[in-house]
Amino acid sequence: MVVPAKPLGKPSVDRRSAEGDRLTEAIELLFFAYRDFISDPDELLDEYGFGRAHHRVVHFVSRNPGITVAELLNILRITKQSLARVLKQLIERGFVAQETGKQDRRQRLLYLTVSGRELEERLAAPQRARVAAALEKAGPGAEDSWRKVLLGLVNDEDRAEVEHRIAKAPVEQH
Amino acid sequence: MVVPAKPLGKPSVDRRSAEGDRLTEAIELLFFAYRDFISDPDELLDEYGFGRAHHRVVHFVSRNPGITVAELLNILRITKQSLARVLKQLIERGFVAQETGKQDRRQRLLYLTVSGRELEERLAAPQRARVAAALEKAGPGAEDSWRKVLLGLVNDEDRAEVEHRIAKAPVEQH
DNA sequence: CATTTTATGTCAGCCATGTTGACATATTTT
DNA sequence: AAAATATGTCAACATGGCTGACATAAAATG
């Protein structure tokens, strides 16, 4: 019985190879990590009657004070209507404030109020602690690898923009 | 004016420190990476009229042929009803097959059919390619760090189980 | 200055997928 | 024989995606 020779060259991305299996495992790990990573804020959001969508808005407004609605839409990749729904609630309940743009008065610049900043802090704290613990356990160099890999997962077209948003992204290797 | 001395000791996880900011960035990167990582299969799922919930079921049944409904519920952390809905569709449309357990005839063991394996392969291929590219770009050692950090993000109570599911998890350091 | 484009808001309605709680059936365990 | 377990199912509800249409104000353009 003739066993076909395994072709040489670039390692395959096929799961029938050991290489592919390792990738499948790496993918599966991302599922489990994300599942638990998200669980911390979820409980807290419940207390406020908010959901993950609110969390995302609060996070990005916190990170980009004065962000416009259009920019937020581009980050979240959801529709105007989906954003409007949660944004309206956050504004009504006093977590987010709007200001008319100075140069362009059509724009609504978004900011967190004091309550908004407090909410953001409460949401972020457990996630920061979780990530800090995971990075420390993974040893030195893990943070840099982590950043590089995550940045590499982003769509090519969007990478420059994401790098810009993330101030301290690792230097790209050529 | 007296500026309070910064307390020494463990690096803070507070974002007002540089340490906290780096963590916030690392967290934000996870959002962007996950956003794009999920986008590949989403398009394909649309063609089948399926959603992400179907994808998860197909993935875990593929990785664990003969898995029981109870095990699947424990992995996905959703309710019986939520699972039943998508599982029913996958079975009706011939992507998943059920078998009565041999030892325990109450159990329904789940398997992918030939079509199911084909669907799984089509869904997984772009994600494997994306992860492979990201890991390669991040350089040697990135894969091990990646696994360690992700595993570290998992809830303490669940880590052993996840390690067991992921065959080649990195060795824990003491 | 008149027109067009842009940024935003809003309405109505649909769909996927999460939730709860109750209950039924078959099978295994005690 | 009774209790516990694995699964399936029903009704009902909430969140947060989506589409498409339309309105307003302000800016940009010819």
Side-chain angles (χ1 to χ4, degrees):
Chain A
M1 177 182 169
V2 179
V3 177
K6 189 178 172 192
L8 297 177
K10 274 239 150 218
S12 166
V13 181
D14 191 304
R15 99 145 41 72
R16 281 162 302 186
S17 66
E19 170 77 9
D21 249 2
R22 286 187 64 80
L23 284 176
T24 305
E25 291 158 16
I27 288 170
E28 196 168 309
L29 262 174
L30 182 54
F31 166 82
F32 286 116
Y34 202 78
R35 180 192 72 179
D36 292 351
F37 176 71
I38 280 298
S39 69
D40 288 330
D42 271 0
E43 292 181 31
L44 189 60
L45 288 162
D46 261 0
E47 294 176 23
Y48 288 80
F50 288 148
R52 287 179 193 174
H54 301 85
H55 185 184
R56 285 178 214 125
V57 171
V58 166
H59 170 89
F60 283 105
V61 172
S62 168
R63 288 272 292 164
N64 306 275
I67 191 174
T68 65
V69 171
E71 284 179 287
L72 203 43
L73 284 174
N74 178 52
I75 288 175
L76 299 175
R77 300 284 157 87
I78 58 177
T79 58
K80 198 167 42 158
Q81 181 64 285
S82 293
L83 174 57
R85 213 154 24 196
V86 296
L87 191 51
K88 197 175 186 178
Q89 295 169 348
L90 286 168
I91 290 168
E92 278 171 356
R93 295 184 43 194
F95 294 96
V96 170
Q98 288 176 314
E99 244 179 56
T100 299
K102 304 266 149 87
Q103 310 96 325
D104 187 336
R105 305 191 22 169
R106 288 172 302 183
Q107 295 180 334
R108 298 284 172 270
L109 309 186
L110 304 173
Y111 300 89
L112 291 189
T113 63
V114 173
S115 315
R117 284 195 289 275
E118 189 187 310
L119 170 57
E120 194 281 331
E121 175 57 33
R122 293 186 68 192
L123 289 168
Q127 291 197 312
R128 282 203 302 272
R130 189 184 281 262
V131 171
L135 289 176
E136 195 174 353
K137 251 197 304 194
E143 184 182 339
D144 199 48
S145 287
W146 168 257
R147 283 167 173 267
K148 283 179 181 165
V149 175
L150 289 181
L151 198 55
L153 289 177
V154 170
N155 288 338
D156 292 346
E157 323 86 80
D158 300 322
R159 193 163 301 124
E161 190 193 326
V162 170
E163 271 187 280
H164 180 250
R165 296 204 172 279
I166 310 292
K168 294 168 186 168
V171 180
E172 191 68 26
Q173 295 173 343
H174 326 261
Chain B
M1 177 182 169
V2 179
V3 177
K6 190 178 169 190
L8 297 178
K10 275 239 153 218
S12 167
V13 181
D14 191 303
R15 99 144 44 69
R16 282 162 300 186
S17 66
E19 170 78 10
D21 248 2
R22 285 186 65 79
L23 284 176
T24 305
E25 290 158 17
I27 288 170
E28 196 167 311
L29 262 174
L30 182 54
F31 165 82
F32 286 116
Y34 201 78
R35 179 193 72 179
D36 291 351
F37 176 71
I38 280 297
S39 68
D40 288 329
D42 271 0
E43 290 181 32
L44 189 61
L45 288 162
D46 260 1
E47 294 176 23
Y48 287 80
F50 288 148
R52 287 180 194 174
H54 302 84
H55 185 185
R56 286 178 213 126
V57 171
V58 166
H59 170 89
F60 284 105
V61 172
S62 168
R63 288 272 293 165
N64 307 275
I67 192 175
T68 66
V69 170
E71 284 179 287
L72 203 43
L73 284 174
N74 178 51
I75 289 176
L76 299 174
R77 300 285 158 88
I78 58 176
T79 56
K80 198 168 42 158
Q81 181 64 284
S82 292
L83 174 57
R85 212 154 26 198
V86 295
L87 191 51
K88 196 175 186 177
Q89 294 168 348
L90 287 168
I91 291 167
E92 277 172 355
R93 295 184 43 194
F95 295 97
V96 170
Q98 287 176 313
E99 246 179 53
T100 299
K102 304 267 150 87
Q103 310 95 325
D104 187 336
R105 305 184 19 139
R106 289 171 304 182
Q107 295 180 332
R108 297 285 171 268
L109 310 186
L110 304 173
Y111 300 88
L112 291 189
T113 62
V114 173
S115 316
R117 284 195 289 273
E118 188 187 311
L119 170 58
E120 195 279 333
E121 175 56 34
R122 293 187 68 192
L123 288 169
Q127 291 196 312
R128 282 203 303 271
R130 189 184 281 261
V131 171
L135 289 176
E136 197 175 353
K137 252 197 303 193
E143 184 181 339
D144 199 47
S145 288
W146 168 256
R147 284 168 171 266
K148 284 180 181 165
V149 176
L150 289 181
L151 198 56
L153 288 177
V154 170
N155 288 337
D156 291 346
E157 321 86 80
D158 299 323
R159 192 163 302 124
E161 189 192 326
V162 170
E163 271 188 282
H164 180 250
R165 297 204 172 279
I166 311 292
K168 293 169 187 166
V171 181
E172 191 67 27
Q173 296 173 340
H174 326 263

